[in-house]
Amino acid sequence: MDRGLFPKRPPSPFGFLNAVINGGIEGKTVGEMGTEIAVAVVPFPIPKKITKAVGIAPNSVVTRTNAQLVDEIGTRSRAWAQRKQLTGSARALGSGQHKHAKDVLERYQRMFGERGLVAERSFIDGLEVPYGSKGSTRLDVLDTLTGDVWDYKFGVTPMSQSQINRIFQHGPGINSVIPLYK
């Protein structure tokens, strides 16, 4: 009976990586999978001998997918606004939280490497235009590699179908729109 990658008892945290390095997954080698895929699913620090085997720097550990990262940044931006006891109109509070999320995302990518995520960019018919241009649609977070868009909702107003339609119409090669209610 084939038990897959792991024996009957619970695997060690390194069992998955060892399986990837030694034989791949579903017949695919690390080279065919790409080291980003092999590493991205690991939620713990990776030992030096394993990072060397898959060809990544020992201290470069990817522990979140882009979706997880964007979601966590939204949660942190909400907590930041509460910690700072921000006051004002709902619009002003939302703008502050969006700016904080943008700043955190940009800082993260400077520190840990570019992930293809851009924040608070304005578009008309697939072309980037200056921030806030008349008739443009501003995307909270765009994954330039996949075409996924995440839209932070820090208040109680739900995302409308017309807003989703505008994102698909004006964003560059949009594949999905994911509202993140915080």
Side-chain angles (χ1 to χ4, degrees), residues 68-129:
Q68 291 168 327
L69 175 64
V70 171
D71 185 56
E72 183 176 328
I73 288 173
T75 301
R76 288 173 180 250
S77 293
R78 177 69 167 197
W80 168 83
Q82 291 171 340
R83 235 182 4 263
K84 294 288 186 180
Q85 297 179 344
L86 296 183
T87 59
S89 68
R91 184 180 187 123
L93 290 173
S95 293
Q97 291 172 79
H98 277 83
K99 181 179 182 330
H100 182 265
K102 175 184 186 269
D103 293 345
V104 171
L105 178 61
E106 289 174 351
R107 185 172 56 241
Y108 183 93
Q109 289 188 110
R110 280 194 307 274
M111 292 171 65
F112 299 107
E114 182 64 37
R115 298 177 73 147
L117 299 172
V118 296
E120 299 298 323
R121 302 280 177 94
S122 297
F123 294 89
I124 297 177
D125 296 328
L127 300 174
E128 187 168 357
V129 296

Side-chain angles (χ1 to χ4, degrees), residues 73-75 77-78 94 97-98 101 152-156 180-182:
I73 288 173
T75 301
S77 293
R78 177 69 167 197
Q97 291 172 79
H98 277 83
Y152 291 122
K153 294 295 173 198
F154 292 110
V156 294
L180 296 175
Y181 296 95
K182 297 295 167 188

